[in-house]
Amino acid sequence: MRVLITGGAGFLGSHLCDRLLGQGHEVICLDNFFTGRKDNIRHLIGNPDFELVRHDVIDPFKFEVDQIYNLACPASPPHYQYNPIKTTKTSVMGAINCLGLAKRVRARVFQASTSEVYGDPAVHPQPESYWGNVNTIGLRSCYDEGKRCAETLFFDYHRENGVDIRVVRIFNTYGPRMHPNDGRVVSNFIVQALKGEDLTVYGDGSQTRSFCYVDDLIDGFLRLMDQDEVIGPINLGNPGEFTMLELAEKTLEVVGGNSKIVHQPLPADDPRQRQPDISLARQHLGWEPTIELKEGLKRTADYFRQTLDS
Ligand code: NAD
Ligand code: UDP
């Protein structure tokens, strides 16, 4: 197949490029390099099955493809809040452009949605049937509401035009190729520990997240795209739930060094808790994560050690 990946030079997108090329597909990677990096895909340049296109998803694009993965959107809070109007445009216009293309060329189209559609959840753990608790006017809304609107567009194109959609709600995922200055908690803690700096825990550190290693997540993407039974939305994430203080302590165990834990103010609207209910993924995709947090942190720390050294 020929597969288009928007946001293909980003953290998740570049791993997806690798996996699809490994399966013998052709990949077109479309990216505007806002948070993505050529370094993530440098090893693919020159591969005759790989094409790189610098383009912004808010402007229409045309390719003859069999599948589309729509991943283009900054994912880290500091990055998506840098230009919030652009973030909403990226989610909404990007979805419209992908869906329009999918409709025209009859491609199966995948949307990278997010656990942020649940906002600060009042139901725990979060099943797909939960409608969420999102502040429509807060600092995170550009991302949350953009992604919610994208889900709406996917399902309306499916109902109105028969577009063949797949929608995943991704919970916090980490691993090699995260940007060292990305601002997300796993990369922050590991890079801080490697540099011997203090680990910055926001608030009292009792808020929770569930962390999925990137290889597990990409496996879930492929399973969803390779079957005809379910279209989603379907949660993908690791149900292991940790407080940010526990994550900081685990990071120090893995990386070593003399860093201390310091507290900084909690950002506005920071969700108190988050844990995926992955019953649907288990049942329909036979999917569940296999890589424990400690092992994943070790692999990610090895990557950052090499990156920082070079
Ligand atoms: P990332 O920031 O590393 O990757 C996003 C990619 O999209 C980058 O390469 C960036 O340059 C590109 N991009 C951004 N705006 C664009 C635009 N207007 N046009 C073209 N390209 C654009 O983030 P990631 O972690 O790889 O996330 C990928 C997708 O998965 C995002 O849609 C994100 O919302 C979603 N997601 C990720 C997580 C996670 O934990 N990693 C969780 C939930 C959802
Ligand atoms: N966080 C933290 N220290 C950091 C970065 C983030 O304590 O240096 C906290 C943040 O407040 C949130 C959690 O870690 O409670 C996860 O943050 P991240 O930005 O990785 O993702 P999200 O909030 O979107 O889940």
Side-chain angles (χ1 to χ4, degrees):
M1 285 187 294
R2 188 177 304 130
V3 184
L4 170 67
I5 306 176
T6 76
F11 160 49
L12 298 180
S14 62
H15 286 276
L16 183 60
C17 289
D18 286 345
R19 288 285 287 274
L20 289 168
L21 287 164
Q23 292 185 343
H25 301 298
E26 285 179 36
V27 169
I28 301 174
C29 166
L30 179 154
D31 209 294
N32 72 348
F33 293 103
F34 175 47
T35 53
R37 289 177 298 163
K38 287 213 181 109
D39 277 348
N40 289 342
I41 43 156
R42 197 176 295 283
H43 58 290
L44 302 176
I45 309 279
N47 180 335
D49 289 332
F50 180 75
E51 287 171 74
L52 177 61
V53 180
R54 182 186 281 266
H55 186 83
D56 195 306
V57 286
I58 72 170
D59 298 319
F61 40 88
K62 281 187 185 165
F63 300 99
E64 297 301 323
V65 288
D66 305 293
Q67 288 192 345
I68 303 167
Y69 284 84
N70 184 32
L71 271 62
C73 185
S76 143
H79 287 158
Y80 68 64
Q81 289 167 20
Y82 172 75
N83 185 347
I85 297 166
K86 176 70 193 251
T87 298
T88 304
K89 271 191 185 169
T90 295
S91 278
V92 175
M93 299 304 299
I96 291 173
N97 288 328
C98 285
L99 287 159
L101 177 63
K103 180 180 164 189
R104 193 173 68 82
V105 301
R106 297 181 198 281
R108 180 167 286 181
V109 58
F110 170 104
Q111 169 64 4
S113 190
T114 167
S115 53
E116 280 287 313
V117 301
Y118 302 123
D120 189 9
V123 170
H124 193 73
Q126 295 81 55
E128 291 83 351
S129 53
Y130 177 48
W131 289 356
N133 177 32
V134 173
N135 176 2
T136 58
I137 57 169
L139 292 177
R140 298 175 82 102
S141 318
C142 58
Y143 183 74
D144 300 9
E145 296 293 356
K147 290 284 186 179
R148 286 171 68 95
C149 183
E151 284 199 11
T152 307
L153 286 161
F154 266 69
F155 277 80
D156 282 335
Y157 268 79
H158 174 65
R159 281 186 292 258
E160 296 293 309
N161 301 118
V163 173
D164 186 17
I165 61 164
R166 298 290 182 277
V167 177
V168 293
R169 292 182 179 154
I170 305 166
F171 285 65
N172 298 61
T173 300
Y174 68 100
R177 301 195 194 145
M178 290 183 93
H179 197 292
N181 302 323
D182 178 279
R184 283 181 274 188
V185 68
V186 174
S187 42
N188 271 11
F189 284 177
I190 292 180
V191 170
Q192 288 162 346
L194 286 170
K195 289 183 171 170
E197 295 169 359
D198 294 339
L199 271 57
T200 53
V201 169
Y202 299 161
D204 64 6
S206 63
Q207 70 272 33
T208 67
R209 294 292 187 274
S210 304
F211 297 101
C212 186
Y213 188 70
V214 59
D215 291 358
D216 281 331
L217 184 83
I218 302 296
D219 188 49
F221 285 10
L222 299 174
R223 283 180 191 231
L224 181 68
M225 282 296 260
D226 288 348
Q227 54 78 51
D228 297 317
E229 250 175 62
V230 288
I231 60 172
I234 194 155
N235 289 339
L236 292 181
N238 191 321
E241 186 185 10
F242 299 88
T243 67
M244 293 312 99
L245 266 181
E246 286 169 337
L247 179 70
E249 282 155 9
K250 258 195 189 323
T251 306
L252 290 175
E253 265 174 52
V254 168
V255 177
N258 302 317
S259 300
K260 288 191 271 308
I261 292 173
V262 296
H263 291 268
Q264 290 191 356
L266 188 69
D269 291 343
D270 201 279
R272 288 287 321 148
Q273 53 181 1
R274 189 181 284 156
Q275 184 190 31
D277 177 335
I278 59 164
S279 311
L280 284 185
R282 280 199 178 103
Q283 186 188 337
H284 295 289
L285 308 180
W287 178 87
E288 67 183 332
T290 58
I291 297 165
E292 295 290 334
L293 181 60
K294 205 163 174 183
E295 171 60 22
L297 288 177
K298 202 172 143 304
R299 295 187 197 181
T300 311
D302 288 345
Y303 166 79
F304 279 121
R305 205 173 277 117
Q306 280 172 15
T307 314
L308 296 177
D309 282 352
S310 66

